[in-house]
Amino acid sequence: MSTAPAHARSPLITAELVNKHFGPAHVLRDVTTSFFQGEVAVIIGASGSGKSTFLRTLNRLEKHDSGRIVVDGIALTDDVKNLDAIRREVGMVFQQFNLFPHLSALENVTLAPRRVRKTPRAEARQKALELLARVGLADHAHKHPHQLSGGQQQRVAIARSLAMQPKVMLFDEPTSALDPEMINEVLDVMKDLARSGMTMVVVTHEMRFAREVGDRILFFDHGQLLQEAPPAQFFDAQQNDRIRAFLGQISH
Amino acid sequence: MNGLLSLWPRGWTREQRSSATIVAAGALLVAILILAGRLLALLPEPIGPSAAELAAGTLITVELTVLSGLAGVGVGVLAAVAKMSPLRIVRWPADFYIWSVRGTPLLVQVLFVYFALPEIVPVQLSDFNSAAVALTLNVGAYNAEAIRAGIQAVPRGQTEASRSLGLSPIQTFLDVIFPQAFKISLPPLVNNIVALLKDSSLAYVIGVAELSNIGNRVKTATFQPVPVFLTTAAIYLILTTVLTEISGAIEARLDVEQRH
């Protein structure tokens, strides 16, 4: 979606030799890559390949055991001040939406700006209504999450993240928990976001989205970053047998 | 049991019905306290002549329950949070408090606060205050377990979403976790407060003139245990019923997801 080649710009996120274990399982193996300003990177791979875990290390929902992750110039460590600073700049959208069920859609969107950015109530509200309109939910601002469909909830969740004006948005299988007829409404919002120049890292099984919107595809296999390539090359000129088998299995 | 909730017009929303119930039951409680003396005076011997004392005892019982009940929720929240702390120095005292209070009889705790505590710290509390402190500490320990269970029942994704938005751990707890946890904890908290109302009768042993104590005094004066204790029990029953109604309505009011 971006016009300039990604590598011409400075990286927003850099991961170097990142390793992670869950007990005896080695779920991330020496993962090294960078994400650039304005880029849409799509991470794919079989379940259990480490792709979601890798995404979650980028805002330290998971700690990496070794290696180095730098976000917007700040290294991810246990330093709480650093961590809070990074999380303000990194938006996250979850598979299960994780909206706050006791708050209305509007309150879900205004909570973080009011508490973290200390935005005055009226201003936060105004901004939130604009964002809800942007994701097509202007009429649903006062509903609680349980009154919304899955697709609507996920769109509120996207608006909630955008309200913090993050520099990068992470999407962890944002359409995997949705009924098929609701997938497109969420993907459309994400496409719109990509067109606006937002830096995005998206873990997904939606290959059409990956091909259409992605600037770069990252393929994870058994905890390793097996390949990164532009979509045309990845989907149409794939040389790797392992990836060809994976693509063959899901594209029907 | 939500008897009152079903009394309201069908067209009303759940919120309206529960709000009406909270107001009505609250008013009923106040009315009972104000009118108890006059209503009891209408009863025949041996109750009628002792109506004023029984009404005063009822008031003391309600005061003990409301005071200890409110303070006990505060203590319960603090103890629950402390018990879940990653810091041993915070967790250990909370563990000890909950363990020791739940493992010893309330009667001993009431006696301890009234008789033993002044020997340890140079403060002599009145009989009423001693009872209130003992009841608060007692119900607080049970509340702590209820609230801890509520906090643990809030899905992990809520914390992740909140922290990802940049909210601090304290903001996450206050704005996201606690409101949901409190709702989950409410039924057991209500049970604890109903139990507290009944347990407040143990203040009797240190001379607090609460309802059971007054009942016993009236029995001693009249030699008619059957009507006296039936009346005493009936007053407790009315109070616990009203309390259950109020809490049931609060629960319905907070139940935004309309699971019930």
Side-chain angles (χ1 to χ4, degrees), chain A residues 14-110:
Chain A
T14 309
E16 279 169 24
L17 297 171
V18 172
N19 280 276
K20 167 82 185 167
H21 297 77
F22 285 130
H26 195 172
V27 291
L28 292 178
R29 298 165 187 262
D30 291 337
V31 178
T32 300
T33 190
S34 294
F35 301 98
F36 296 88
Q37 190 88 48
E39 179 192 30
V40 177
V42 179
I43 302 179
I44 63 178
S47 44
S49 60
K51 57 190 193 306
S52 280
T53 305
F54 177 62
L55 189 78
R56 289 163 58 85
T57 60
L58 298 181
N59 70 345
R60 211 168 176 82
L61 286 181
E62 304 287 355
K63 276 187 198 181
H64 52 288
D65 302 335
S66 66
R68 181 176 162 81
I69 298 175
V70 180
V71 179
D72 197 22
I74 305 173
L76 281 186
T77 60
D78 277 329
D79 186 323
V80 177
K81 280 245 163 58
N82 276 357
L83 197 54
D84 284 349
I86 287 164
R87 282 176 171 159
R88 285 194 287 270
E89 309 305 333
V90 179
M92 178 102 180
V93 174
F94 299 86
Q95 184 176 353
Q96 299 296 338
F97 330 137
N98 294 347
L99 288 183
F100 307 133
H102 59 300
L103 302 177
S104 69
L106 185 67
E107 290 163 339
N108 264 278
V109 181
T110 56

Side-chain angles (χ1 to χ4, degrees), chain B residues 117-128:
Chain B
L117 204 57
E119 310 255 314
I120 302 168
V121 289
V123 183
Q124 176 63 63
L125 298 171
S126 69
D127 51 9
F128 178 91

Side-chain angles (χ1 to χ4, degrees), chain A:
Chain A
M1 282 286 155
S2 57
T3 47
H7 52 78
R9 284 158 292 174
S10 60
L12 199 54
I13 301 178
T14 309
E16 279 169 24
L17 297 171
V18 172
N19 280 276
K20 167 82 185 167
H21 297 77
F22 285 130
H26 195 172
V27 291
L28 292 178
R29 298 165 187 262
D30 291 337
V31 178
T32 300
T33 190
S34 294
F35 301 98
F36 296 88
Q37 190 88 48
E39 179 192 30
V40 177
V42 179
I43 302 179
I44 63 178
S47 44
S49 60
K51 57 190 193 306
S52 280
T53 305
F54 177 62
L55 189 78
R56 289 163 58 85
T57 60
L58 298 181
N59 70 345
R60 211 168 176 82
L61 286 181
E62 304 287 355
K63 276 187 198 181
H64 52 288
D65 302 335
S66 66
R68 181 176 162 81
I69 298 175
V70 180
V71 179
D72 197 22
I74 305 173
L76 281 186
T77 60
D78 277 329
D79 186 323
V80 177
K81 280 245 163 58
N82 276 357
L83 197 54
D84 284 349
I86 287 164
R87 282 176 171 159
R88 285 194 287 270
E89 309 305 333
V90 179
M92 178 102 180
V93 174
F94 299 86
Q95 184 176 353
Q96 299 296 338
F97 330 137
N98 294 347
L99 288 183
F100 307 133
H102 59 300
L103 302 177
S104 69
L106 185 67
E107 290 163 339
N108 264 278
V109 181
T110 56
L111 179 66
R114 289 187 56 203
R115 290 287 186 274
V116 181
R117 301 258 192 241
K118 310 291 177 202
T119 310
R121 177 190 283 260
E123 190 187 328
R125 192 187 143 87
Q126 185 55 41
K127 184 85 183 109
L129 286 170
E130 284 169 29
L131 284 168
L132 286 171
R134 180 170 167 192
V135 299
L137 292 171
D139 298 337
H140 300 277
H142 296 286
K143 290 188 179 166
H144 277 78
H146 69 98
Q147 295 168 300
L148 300 171
S149 72
Q152 290 171 330
Q153 289 191 49
Q154 192 61 297
R155 285 186 281 152
V156 173
I158 293 172
R160 178 175 69 175
S161 276
L162 290 175
M164 287 298 285
Q165 298 176 302
K167 292 183 174 158
V168 53
M169 287 276 281
L170 310 178
F171 292 83
D172 188 6
E173 302 199 31
T175 58
S176 295
L178 295 175
D179 291 336
E181 75 272 19
M182 294 172 183
I183 290 177
N184 280 330
E185 65 188 59
V186 171
L187 292 182
D188 285 345
V189 167
M190 290 168 63
K191 285 177 196 169
D192 180 56
L193 202 55
R195 272 191 294 269
S196 76
M198 175 62 77
T199 309
M200 294 163 65
V201 182
V202 184
V203 171
T204 188
H205 294 290
E206 295 293 328
M207 294 304 140
R208 267 226 336 253
F209 175 87
R211 181 195 286 266
E212 236 179 273
V213 185
D215 295 309
R216 185 162 51 118
I217 311 296
L218 292 81
F219 185 85
F220 271 72
D221 187 46
H222 293 104
Q224 275 179 314
L225 175 52
L226 195 59
Q227 189 179 85
E228 33 188 335
Q233 188 187 327
F234 184 88
F235 288 107
D236 302 326
Q238 185 54 255
Q239 301 296 313
N240 185 295
D241 289 341
R242 174 98 190 90
I243 301 177
R244 286 169 71 111
F246 173 83
L247 291 174
Q249 269 176 1
I250 53 165
S251 63
H252 48 251

